[in-house]
Amino acid sequence: MPTCFLGIDLGTSGSKALILANDGTVVTHATREYETKIPRPSWTEQDPDDWWTATREAVRAALRSEEVRASQIEGIGLTGQMHGLVPLDEQGRVLRPAILWNDQRTSAACDRIHERVGRERAVELTGNPVLPGFTAPKLLWMRRHEADLYDQIATILLPKDFLRYKLTGTYATDVSDASGTALFDVEHRTWSDQMTEALDVPSSWLPPVTESPTVSARLSSEVASELGLPSDLPVVGGAGDQAAGAVGSAAVEEGTVSITMGTSGVVFATSDQYRADPDGRLHAFCHAVPDTWHLMGVMLSAAGSLRWFRDVFLQDNPGENDFSYDELVSEAQSVSPGADGLLFLPYLSGERTPHADPNAKGVFFGLHLGHDREHLTRAVLEGVSFGLRDSMELMNDLGLSAKEIRVSGGGAQSGLWRQILADVLNVRLVHTTVPHVAAVGAALLAGVGAGTYDTVAEASRTTYREAGSTAPARERDLYDALYERFTSLYPDLNDHFDALADVVDRMNEEN
Ligand code: XUL
C-alpha cells in the first residue's frame, strides 16, 4: 500500500482535492465549484466560507474512491489562486468577502503607493511594482472605502492560507504566495518591514512565513474526524498556484520555461538567483523550491477568455457542460490561421503583463459579415497566444530564451491551441501527461515535508512524463505579421479604454 499525499488547489472556479501516490501517480481527484461575485464591472469577490464548504466536499468526494484509504495519506499540501485578500478580525472571523487576484478596483491605491514609496523603490524592496491584483493595494482600498471594517482587521491571509487556518487553526503562509502581496522582500524571502512601515500596515497582521515544503501546522483533530483523515497530518507551507504548477510540471531547475494556460496565462522561468526586471514588467517571485526564484509574465484571461466566450454565447446554463470546449475548439480547426482578418485582445479582466492596465478591455477587431462562430473562437485562441508571446518577448529581452517550453493547464489539453501557440512563439512545446499540475505540485511538496522525498526536484521527477510535443509549423510568417497588428492595437486604444472607464465610473456613481 503506497504512501499518499493530499494536494488541495483552491482555484478561481473551484476547489480540487487530489490524492497522489508516492510513485507519482494521481490516484483520484474531485472538484467542487463556487461562485465569483462581480459587484461592479472589474471587481471580483468570493466568499471564503464557500471555499471551505467546497474544499470539504471535494476532499470527502476524493476519499470515497475505492483506490485509496484515508490511512495511506501522510501529508497535505495547499495551493491556489494568489494575491486575494482575506481580512480576519481578532476572533478569526472573516470581515468581508475576499477580493480576488483579478479584481481591478485598486489602481488609485497603486498610484498612491507609488507616489508615497516610489515605483523604483517598490521594485527594490519587493522585486515588483505594486500592481492592482496584488494584496497591499486591496488593504489600502479597504482603509479608504471601508474604514469601519479596516479598523477591525487583526490578520490578513491569502486564499489557500485561509484553508490552512480552517484545517489547522494556524495562521501561516509560504514564500511563493507571500511574493504576490507587495509586502514581501522577495530577494531575502521575508516580510519587508520597510514596505509595511511605508504603507502604515501593522506587521502583526502578517502570518508567519515558511518555505513551501516546510511543515507549517498539523491537521486539527476536529477537522480530521469530520473529513475522515488521520489526525495530526502535517500541512506544508504549499505554494501559489503558479509555483506549485511548476513543481507539478518539473519546471524547478534554472533554464526551464513553462507556460500555464489556465484561467490566467502564465509564462514562468525558474532562476537559481534572485533577479528582478528593473522595469518591473515581469514579476520576480520566490519559487516553491528553497533558494530558488522565478520570473513570470501573467495575462489575466487566457483559458478564462474561452470559458467566457462559451458561457456567454453558447450556453443556456453557464457552468454546465452542454457545449463542450472540445466541440467549440474543433469547429475552429476548419478556419484558416488569422480567422479571416479577425483579432481578439484578451483583456477581459484588464491586463497585467505586458500592459499593467486595469482599464484595458477585451476587443474583437476586424469583424465582418463573413465571420461565423468558429472564426470568433479561432480569434480567441490566437489572441491569447499573442498575449503569451508578449510575455515571452519580455523574457527574451532579459536574455531568457527557450529552445523548448513546457505547457500545461486546461487550454494546453487542446491540440489546436498548442499548435497555434507553437506557431505564434515559433518554439517547440512539450506537454505533460500530468493533469492538474498545481494540485500535484502541492501534493509533492507535502511529500517532501513528510520526508518521502529529499528535495523538491526529486519529488517532481517522480511525476513528470512528457505526453508529446508540438513543433512550430508553417504559419510563422503569417503569425508574425498578425502579431505586429495585435501589438499595435493596445497603444492606439489605451486612451479610449481610460476614457470609457471614466464614463462607467460616473454611471456607477450616479446609480
Ligand atoms: C499569478 C496570478 C494568477 C492567480 C490565479 O500572479 O495572478 O495565476 O494566482 O490563477
Side-chain angles (χ1 to χ4, degrees):
M1 287 245 281
T3 305
C4 292
F5 303 102
L6 171 62
I8 300 177
D9 177 8
L10 187 78
T12 307
S13 50
S15 182
K16 174 172 290 127
L18 178 144
I19 296 171
L20 189 81
N22 63 2
D23 64 358
T25 44
V26 174
V27 180
T28 183
H29 60 89
T31 305
R32 293 294 178 270
E33 300 210 334
Y34 30 75
E35 200 196 336
T36 302
K37 294 172 189 106
I38 308 194
R40 287 201 188 181
S42 82
W43 291 21
T44 54
E45 298 184 350
Q46 282 173 346
D47 187 341
D49 286 336
D50 290 349
W51 294 340
W52 180 227
T53 305
T55 301
R56 279 179 299 173
E57 283 172 10
V59 171
R60 279 199 213 96
L63 288 175
R64 277 198 289 274
S65 160
E66 309 259 292
E67 309 294 319
V68 67
R69 290 209 208 116
S71 56
Q72 287 172 262
I73 296 176
E74 299 208 342
I76 302 180
L78 304 173
T79 181
Q81 45 171 308
M82 300 176 67
H83 313 294
L85 172 66
V86 186
L88 303 182
D89 71 7
E90 197 74 55
Q91 276 75 45
R93 286 178 304 221
V94 174
L95 283 163
R96 72 172 324 287
I99 307 179
L100 304 192
W101 60 280
N102 52 2
D103 184 291
Q104 298 281 20
R105 77 186 67 179
T106 62
S107 63
C110 293
D111 292 344
R112 284 202 301 280
I113 298 176
H114 284 154
E115 271 158 32
R116 196 188 294 192
V117 182
R119 188 179 186 279
E120 263 175 49
R121 182 83 181 126
V123 177
E124 265 168 42
L125 291 176
T126 67
N128 300 282
V130 181
L131 299 174
F134 288 9
T135 321
K138 297 178 167 119
L139 266 179
L140 267 61
W141 180 91
M142 268 188 83
R143 183 151 76 200
R144 179 161 287 217
H145 298 277
E146 296 178 344
D148 50 333
L149 291 177
Y150 184 87
D151 288 342
Q152 296 174 53
I153 297 179
T155 303
I156 58 166
L157 293 178
L158 292 161
K160 75 164 196 328
D161 302 321
F162 175 74
L163 291 185
R164 180 191 334 270
Y165 168 53
K166 299 302 273 185
L167 290 163
T168 67
T170 301
Y171 295 143
T173 190
D174 80 285
V175 290
S176 68
D177 222 0
S179 300
T181 57
L183 298 170
F184 196 66
D185 175 346
V186 170
E187 181 177 5
H188 301 103
R189 304 171 92 89
T190 181
W191 293 114
S192 167
D193 292 339
Q194 277 146 307
M195 202 63 178
T196 43
E197 272 161 33
L199 302 188
D200 206 13
V201 168
S203 52
S204 60
W205 290 2
L206 304 172
V209 59
T210 69
E211 291 289 334
S212 298
T214 303
V215 176
S216 63
R218 302 226 162 225
L219 187 65
S220 74
S221 48
E222 194 191 332
V223 177
S225 67
E226 186 195 335
L227 296 180
L229 283 166
S231 64
D232 227 28
L233 276 182
V235 179
V236 292
D241 55 357
Q242 299 308 329
V247 172
S249 47
V252 290
E253 269 146 18
E254 168 101 21
T256 42
V257 175
S258 62
I259 290 184
T260 312
M261 298 159 83
T263 303
S264 61
V266 173
V267 180
F268 183 107
T270 301
S271 172
D272 277 349
Q273 291 158 22
Y274 169 73
R275 48 177 147 181
D277 173 3
D279 297 327
R281 295 162 308 171
L282 292 168
H283 306 353
F285 284 4
C286 296
H287 203 320
V289 186
D291 290 327
T292 305
W293 288 261
H294 67 88
L295 284 167
M296 170 163 92
V298 180
M299 58 185 296
L300 297 182
S301 298
S305 293
L306 189 66
R307 182 190 170 114
W308 163 82
F309 182 68
R310 184 196 68 161
D311 287 353
V312 169
F313 294 111
L314 303 171
Q315 295 222 127
D316 292 337
N317 303 308
E320 290 177 22
N321 277 344
D322 54 3
F323 196 97
S324 76
Y325 290 109
D326 289 350
E327 284 170 86
L328 187 62
V329 171
S330 67
E331 281 187 353
Q333 191 104 39
S334 64
V335 174
S336 309
D340 208 4
L342 184 61
L343 287 171
F344 173 67
L345 302 193
Y347 311 136
L348 295 173
S349 320
E351 192 49 299
R352 223 195 275 163
T353 314
H355 315 295
D357 181 357
N359 292 337
K361 293 284 174 290
V363 173
F364 278 110
F365 179 79
L367 278 168
H368 60 74
L369 284 175
H371 282 139
D372 230 325
R373 176 165 76 199
E374 45 265 43
H375 293 90
L376 272 70
T377 308
R378 179 143 198 144
V380 170
L381 305 182
E382 292 179 347
V384 170
S385 304
F386 291 141
L388 291 167
R389 177 164 166 180
D390 278 339
S391 288
M392 205 54 232
E393 298 278 336
L394 294 178
M395 296 268 177
N396 293 342
D397 285 356
L398 293 186
L400 288 157
S401 59
K403 288 205 189 69
E404 179 183 283
I405 294 177
R406 293 191 183 154
V407 285
S408 62
Q413 306 309 310
S414 152
L416 176 63
W417 211 345
R418 287 198 305 269
Q419 186 63 61
I420 292 173
L421 185 62
D423 290 351
V424 166
L425 298 177
N426 192 31
V427 70
R428 183 168 168 271
L429 305 179
V430 290
H431 60 280
T432 162
T433 47
V434 184
H436 324 297
V437 283
V440 168
L444 290 170
L445 290 169
V448 181
T452 298
Y453 315 106
D454 287 338
T455 62
V456 179
E458 180 198 328
S460 283
R461 279 193 293 272
T462 60
T463 345
Y464 186 72
R465 307 274 180 285
E466 279 182 22
S469 67
T470 314
R474 286 156 300 147
E475 315 300 349
R476 185 184 159 195
D477 289 349
L478 172 70
Y479 278 130
D480 279 348
L482 289 166
Y483 179 63
E484 217 179 303
R485 292 298 93 228
F486 173 89
T487 50
S488 62
L489 279 175
Y490 172 80
D492 285 349
L493 291 175
N494 189 358
D495 289 347
H496 298 287
F497 288 140
D498 288 345
L500 185 62
D502 285 345
V503 175
V504 173
D505 280 350
R506 276 205 306 279
M507 288 184 322
N508 281 328
E509 271 154 30
E510 277 159 26
N511 292 335

